[in-house]
Amino acid sequence: MKVLHVAEKPSVAKEIARILSSSSFSVREGYSPYNKIFQFRFGNDEFLVTSVSGHLLTLDFPERFQKWNAVDPAILLDPVQCPVVWKVGEQNHNGENLRRTLAQEGRSAHRLVLWLDCDSEGEAIADEVAQVVREVNPAIMVGRAQFSAVTYHDITGALSNLREIDRKVVQMVRVRQEIDLRSGAAFTRLLTMKLEGIVNSESRIISYGTCQFPTLGLVVARFLEIKEFHRETFYSIELSATQDPSRCNGGPPPALEFTWVRGRLFCQYTTSNFYDLCFEAARHEGSLATAIQCDRREKRKWRPLPLNTVELQKEAVRKLKIDSSTAMDIAEALYNAGLISYPRTETDRFSQSIDVRSLVEIQCNHPDWGNFASGLRNEDDNSTPNFQFPRSGRNDDQAHPPIHPTSCKPLQDFDNPLHRKMFDYITRRFLASCSEDAIGAETIVTAAIGMEEFTARGLIIVKKGYLQIFENYDRWVESELPYVEEGDCLPITRLELRQGETSPPPLLNESDLIALMDKYGIGTDATIAEHIKTIQTRNYVVKNSQGRFAPQPMGLALVESFEHCEAYLARPGLRADQERDLKKISTDSSPFEEILSSYTRSYATQFQQIMSRMSLFLETIRSYFSNDAEMNNPSAGWIIEERDFSQCGLCGTRMTLMKSSAQTQIAKSVNCDRCTRLWRVWRASPGPSNTAPVIESTSHICPLCNFQVLCVRGNQEDGRHSSHFVCPKCYNEPPVMQDGPHNPENRLTAFQCGHCTHPTCGLASGTPPSYRQVMKCPACEGFCSIRVERERHRF
């Protein structure tokens, strides 16, 4: 009997052929130069193993709907007026060659075995392959292989337990593809045609995607949260003390740092009263604090959960410094090489039916962690933790186990250092999940001064547990406290009233964004990285020098214009609801026709909402692309003086120092190409006494807006040696009272560091309003103000 096997990728097809033939196979060419055919005998059967390259069929509109200007984009959202068709090879130029190979080999085959990836997309691709083969051989028997790793155990087991294609899962994927095609095409055509001439887009396409836009919306939402954040001043009391001298055995007493149990208060008057009470009580008690409680307890640090795709991407960004897209490419390569299990899985729990101990035993001979793996197996070895069945997370896709190593390969045998790092992390994470929790001894000391209480915490690790194998990726910091007992008298070395400010959250980094996308169901675990890459490729956002995402004018303009028109497509809720409803198709609880109709109507309503408010939509877009366009063009009145001059606080990139070439003014500014913003830092009218100063960058960062502070130094040639400091953003957009009392003069422009009263900035030398006109001068009857001296952030 002739059996045709089809895998999703050429590398997997070759590995399957190697396993089933014991490396004894012949290779011949098909119509595709990239997808070979591996041929061998398997018992009494003739096996042919080949592959496709992703989706074989693509969904598209008929020819009459292809011309943008000839069709109203709204029609694309109507399944009745605008049908869709399946095509071979339209997006994949190799598709027709693959179809011909499948047709030729499938025509004489008796059985078709589908080795496509075991996720929803793989199920859909398997159905596409089956369709092509059945066109030439309707009677062929079709079997679907279910496997999680390209290993002998998984491949032979899957071959013995073939199943049918899951039609419900295929329908779910088809509905998602149609919704994405219709909405993406309709809104992309609308945006591109309406914004032509307003927006200078490099690609000339302003794209929309049902996952792309909510991803952009998350980045913009965080950016606006930072922009609209109102800083508040808070106050707290800090206490430092030493151990009771009677316990020191003659040596210097060790220190203890305490935290006020009230944390921080936002009322200066109330906090000052508490501080005064503490000060008086301490003075009355001889500058001593009393230990009123000492708690000693066991504390556990839980071993990590088994690894799923979302967690892998987040950890790759955080700990391996590899972006999510690259991380998935690496994991795919390790999977194809038979080193790890299938890397696209939602599951973070091992089924009790899986022999996890045997997976640990595979690693026992590894030169780096073999001893640890052997110790897990040997319960009599006290130098390593004992084996524990991995903890169970909340997610199980019922298709694949968590990501784990399936083979043992020495790290020095990896040619690619990124592959080595990824395999090292996955294996150590797996072994850590099979280990014991780390155990520590925590000490909490509570001390009192009068009626106020303060706490100090210490931790000593008693048993490292899983940290023995995973300490490069997970740390538990020890902080030992000196011995204290209840009733001890602790000499006070510092009692201070401190002032600080609330600060906005940072821009999203890639790990943050992945977590939010997973929370709201934006994309699948397999496509999250692609959507993040897309919004960067479209120049809707950029990743700054700190690895955080800053929205670009195009991204901001699109999100704000949609919001103004009450078309909330950039919010995560719609996509989350859509994914939840699509899953109902695969569980046989909802007809796919109803869900398709419901969401195409929803997108059509949003489309008409924008069309009815098009003037407002375009006005919002123009506000981002017509503001002072000449000022942002160095050739229009500005001359570049120095590139890579200072840091932009909005996007983190380096700005250019520029000087004016106009006859009507002499001025200097810094320009950010990414933000398309120009910030003046000095300006004066032309005259014999006005010459341009020297602008120097400093190492100081403005605590209000993260811009690099500049020093404006008087030109020594005209005898002026004075200098002052400016933050480019504050100079042009002075802080308002909602941001904190940093602008007591309520200046509307030309705001310098000398005008600012920020409490923790060493360059801020303005006088707070509460220190102005505090008394009359006995000499002249005028008013006196308090002069403020700052030393190490203290008044």
Side-chain angles (χ1 to χ4, degrees):
M1 184 170 65
K2 182 178 178 182
V3 183
L4 175 62
H5 300 257
V6 182
E8 189 163 325
K9 290 172 282 292
S11 57
V12 176
K14 183 177 181 180
E15 191 65 14
I16 291 172
R18 185 191 67 78
I19 291 171
L20 296 179
S21 70
S22 300
S23 300
S24 179
F25 57 83
S26 60
V27 184
R28 60 184 175 87
E29 298 291 331
Y31 288 101
S32 166
Y34 315 107
N35 304 80
K36 311 295 183 184
I37 300 172
F38 305 94
Q39 189 168 354
F40 55 93
R41 300 291 300 181
F42 188 85
N44 296 323
D45 299 328
E46 179 187 5
F47 275 20
L48 302 177
V49 184
T50 187
S51 62
V52 291
S53 300
H55 279 283
L56 190 63
L57 306 178
T58 58
L59 191 66
D60 206 348
F61 298 111
E63 185 66 30
R64 65 181 183 276
F65 296 100
Q66 295 289 333
K67 295 182 179 180
W68 286 26
N69 294 322
V71 178
D72 181 355
I75 294 178
L76 304 180
L77 293 166
D78 187 343
V80 176
Q81 296 188 61
C82 177
V84 291
V85 294
W86 289 97
K87 300 178 180 178
V88 176
E90 289 295 315
Q91 296 181 2
N92 179 4
H93 68 279
N94 195 40
E96 179 58 29
N97 291 332
L98 292 172
R99 188 198 66 77
R100 292 175 65 191
T101 297
L102 293 174
Q104 177 173 292
E105 303 300 333
R107 183 174 283 107
S108 57
H110 300 87
R111 179 184 288 274
L112 172 65
V113 180
L114 300 165
W115 295 90
L116 289 305
D117 290 349
C118 296
D119 55 10
S120 59
E121 292 294 326
E123 204 72 13
I125 299 172
D127 185 64
E128 294 169 11
V129 173
Q131 285 184 49
V132 170
V133 174
R134 279 172 171 157
E135 286 179 0
V136 297
N137 188 351
I140 194 169
M141 296 181 290
V142 178
R144 176 78 165 100
Q146 180 82 28
F147 63 105
S148 296
V150 189
T151 62
Y152 177 84
H153 179 269
D154 275 58
I155 296 302
T156 54
L159 188 60
S160 302
N161 296 279
L162 299 177
R163 61 170 176 83
E164 295 183 357
I165 295 174
D166 191 330
R167 303 301 310 169
K168 291 293 183 181
V169 172
V170 174
Q171 286 179 342
M172 178 189 73
V173 175
R174 298 290 184 247
V175 171
R176 181 191 290 127
Q177 288 176 318
E178 185 167 346
I179 292 173
D180 290 351
L181 172 67
R182 291 184 181 278
S183 59
F187 283 101
T188 296
R189 293 187 187 187
L190 174 69
L191 293 173
T192 302
M193 291 189 293
K194 290 293 184 182
L195 301 185
E196 187 176 4
I198 299 177
V199 176
N200 182 22
S201 172
E202 295 180 2
S203 66
R204 301 180 64 184
I205 300 293
I206 312 298
S207 71
Y208 168 86
T210 55
C211 289
Q212 171 188 321
F213 245 53
T215 304
L216 170 63
L218 293 172
V219 175
V220 171
R222 174 59 63 88
F223 176 83
L224 295 178
E225 181 183 356
I226 296 170
K227 183 178 179 181
E228 297 167 4
F229 185 85
H230 294 159
R231 296 174 182 268
E232 293 184 78
T233 304
F234 62 82
Y235 307 88
S236 63
I237 301 174
E238 294 186 357
L239 169 67
S240 298
T242 59
Q243 186 185 28
D244 191 323
S246 64
R247 300 186 183 279
C248 296
N249 298 323
L256 296 96
E257 296 294 330
F258 288 88
T259 302
W260 192 25
V261 294
R262 297 182 189 272
R264 58 191 191 184
L265 303 180
F266 291 90
C267 177
Q268 182 179 14
Y269 176 78
T270 303
T271 313
S272 297
N273 284 337
F274 282 125
Y275 175 78
D276 291 341
L277 291 171
C278 286
F279 189 85
E280 290 299 323
R283 186 172 63 175
H284 183 266
E285 298 291 335
S287 296
L288 295 174
T290 303
I292 61 173
Q293 189 175 356
C294 296
D295 292 334
R296 294 177 177 87
R297 64 187 70 169
E298 180 182 279
K299 188 169 185 178
R300 286 179 175 266
K301 187 171 178 63
W302 302 104
R303 57 206 163 107
L305 286 168
L307 188 63
N308 63 16
T309 305
V310 170
E311 185 68 13
L312 173 65
Q313 293 175 85
K314 292 193 295 184
E315 292 293 273
V317 173
R318 289 175 185 159
K319 297 175 180 176
L320 305 183
K321 308 305 178 186
I322 301 173
D323 67 82
S324 58
S325 178
T326 303
M328 292 310 299
D329 291 341
I330 295 170
E332 192 78 23
L334 295 177
Y335 163 69
N336 292 340
L339 295 174
I340 66 171
S341 60
Y342 188 61
R344 302 180 189 275
T345 175
E346 299 176 12
T347 305
D348 57 4
R349 60 194 306 170
F350 279 99
S351 168
Q352 293 291 335
S353 63
I354 295 178
D355 186 359
V356 180
R357 283 181 179 271
S358 66
L359 298 176
V360 172
E361 290 176 1
I362 294 174
Q363 305 298 326
C364 287
N365 294 322
H366 196 278
D368 292 295
W369 49 72
N371 290 337
F372 184 87
S374 298
L376 290 179
R377 184 179 57 177
N378 183 8
E379 295 185 0
D380 297 328
D381 185 357
N382 295 325
S383 64
T384 57
N386 293 328
F387 173 83
Q388 302 287 322
F389 195 84
R391 294 163 56 208
S392 294
R394 299 180 178 180
N395 305 299
D396 189 348
D397 59 14
Q398 302 294 322
H400 297 285
I403 303 168
H404 61 271
T406 57
S407 183
C408 180
K409 182 176 181 178
L411 297 179
Q412 61 267 27
D413 291 352
F414 284 88
D415 296 328
N416 189 315
L418 295 182
H419 290 202
R420 179 168 58 248
K421 287 172 65 176
M422 182 67 76
F423 185 70
D424 180 78
Y425 176 82
I426 291 173
T427 306
R428 289 182 183 273
R429 168 89 178 223
F430 168 70
L431 294 175
S433 72
C434 298
S435 183
E436 297 175 335
D437 300 332
I439 300 176
E442 184 181 41
T443 302
I444 305 174
V445 176
T446 304
I449 305 176
M451 300 296 292
E452 293 307 299
E453 296 181 359
F454 302 81
T455 59
R457 294 176 178 269
L459 175 72
I460 298 175
I461 298 175
V462 177
K463 188 175 182 180
K464 296 186 72 172
Y466 80 91
L467 292 174
Q468 287 189 34
I469 191 67
F470 208 52
E471 61 184 352
N472 289 341
Y473 302 107
D474 196 0
R475 295 186 179 276
W476 205 11
V477 179
E478 292 184 294
S479 55
E480 187 173 356
L481 283 183
Y483 186 78
V484 178
E485 281 290 356
E486 187 175 324
D488 283 1
C489 295
L490 312 175
I492 298 172
T493 57
R494 183 175 63 94
L495 182 64
E496 289 185 357
L497 174 63
R498 300 284 285 183
Q499 176 180 329
E501 274 194 335
T502 58
S503 58
L507 293 169
L508 295 175
N509 61 25
E510 193 163 357
S511 180
D512 300 330
L513 185 55
I514 291 170
L516 288 172
M517 293 174 70
D518 180 51
K519 174 184 176 181
Y520 290 110
I522 301 173
T524 64
D525 51 5
T527 61
I528 283 176
E530 297 174 16
H531 301 314
I532 294 175
K533 187 175 181 180
T534 298
I535 61 174
Q536 295 177 81
T537 304
R538 296 296 184 188
N539 201 31
Y540 294 163
V541 306
V542 294
K543 187 183 286 188
N544 64 22
S545 57
Q546 288 81 41
R548 297 186 177 276
F549 292 110
Q552 293 299 278
M554 175 62 76
L556 285 167
L558 289 173
V559 171
E560 187 172 338
S561 58
F562 272 68
E563 289 287 313
H564 284 181
C565 295
E566 299 182 15
Y568 303 124
L569 297 178
R571 298 187 183 183
L574 178 62
R575 185 66 190 193
D577 293 342
Q578 180 178 317
E579 286 300 318
R580 184 168 54 250
D581 289 340
L582 286 171
K583 287 183 178 179
K584 294 178 182 178
I585 299 175
S586 63
T587 58
D588 202 22
S589 59
S590 292
F592 72 91
E593 297 92 345
E594 289 184 9
I595 292 177
L596 175 61
S597 176
S598 172
Y599 279 97
T600 52
R601 286 198 308 269
S602 174
Y603 281 110
T605 301
Q606 303 273 8
F607 190 95
Q608 294 304 324
Q609 185 82 354
I610 293 175
M611 292 299 297
S612 65
R613 302 186 179 187
M614 184 53 66
S615 58
L616 175 61
F617 183 89
L618 296 178
E619 180 183 344
T620 306
I621 294 290
R622 288 192 184 98
S623 69
Y624 279 88
F625 292 95
S626 60
N627 62 335
D628 228 356
E630 282 190 359
M631 297 295 293
N632 289 291
N633 184 357
S635 63
W638 293 92
I639 299 172
I640 295 175
E641 189 168 300
E642 183 178 344
R643 296 187 183 276
D644 196 27
F645 183 69
S646 66
Q647 175 180 298
C648 172
L650 297 179
C651 68
T653 56
R654 305 292 293 177
M655 299 189 291
T656 302
L657 178 65
M658 311 184 74
K659 62 181 179 181
S660 173
S661 62
Q663 299 296 320
T664 56
Q665 67 168 347
I666 51 175
K668 290 200 174 184
S669 65
V670 285
N671 180 71
C672 179
D673 290 331
R674 280 190 175 175
C675 296
T676 62
R677 291 295 302 271
L678 181 140
W679 308 94
R680 286 192 179 91
V681 294
W682 184 85
R683 175 170 49 185
S685 300
S689 62
N690 288 332
T691 57
V694 177
I695 310 294
E696 300 172 348
S697 60
T698 72
S699 60
H700 193 84
I701 302 297
C702 175
L704 288 174
C705 52
N706 293 324
F707 275 74
Q708 189 171 349
V709 175
L710 307 179
C711 178
V712 182
R713 196 178 303 280
N715 195 324
Q716 296 186 9
E717 294 180 2
D718 60 11
R720 293 186 291 132
H721 301 277
S722 62
S723 63
H724 62 270
F725 296 92
V726 297
C727 161
K729 186 174 186 296
C730 292
Y731 184 82
N732 293 270
E733 300 175 1
V736 294
M737 289 303 293
Q738 289 87 341
D739 297 326
H742 310 311
N743 185 3
E745 300 176 29
N746 199 27
R747 299 179 70 94
L748 301 178
T749 186
F751 186 81
Q752 303 174 10
C753 296
H755 302 132
C756 184
T757 59
H758 193 283
T760 64
C761 179
L763 299 180
S765 54
T767 303
S770 60
Y771 294 174
R772 295 173 181 270
Q773 300 183 1
V774 296
M775 60 177 288
K776 284 194 174 183
C777 175
C780 68
E781 297 297 321
F783 286 100
C784 294
S785 297
I786 297 176
R787 180 176 178 179
V788 179
E789 295 288 348
R790 286 177 172 81
E791 180 183 358
R792 296 180 65 185
H793 309 314
R794 289 187 287 174
F795 289 118

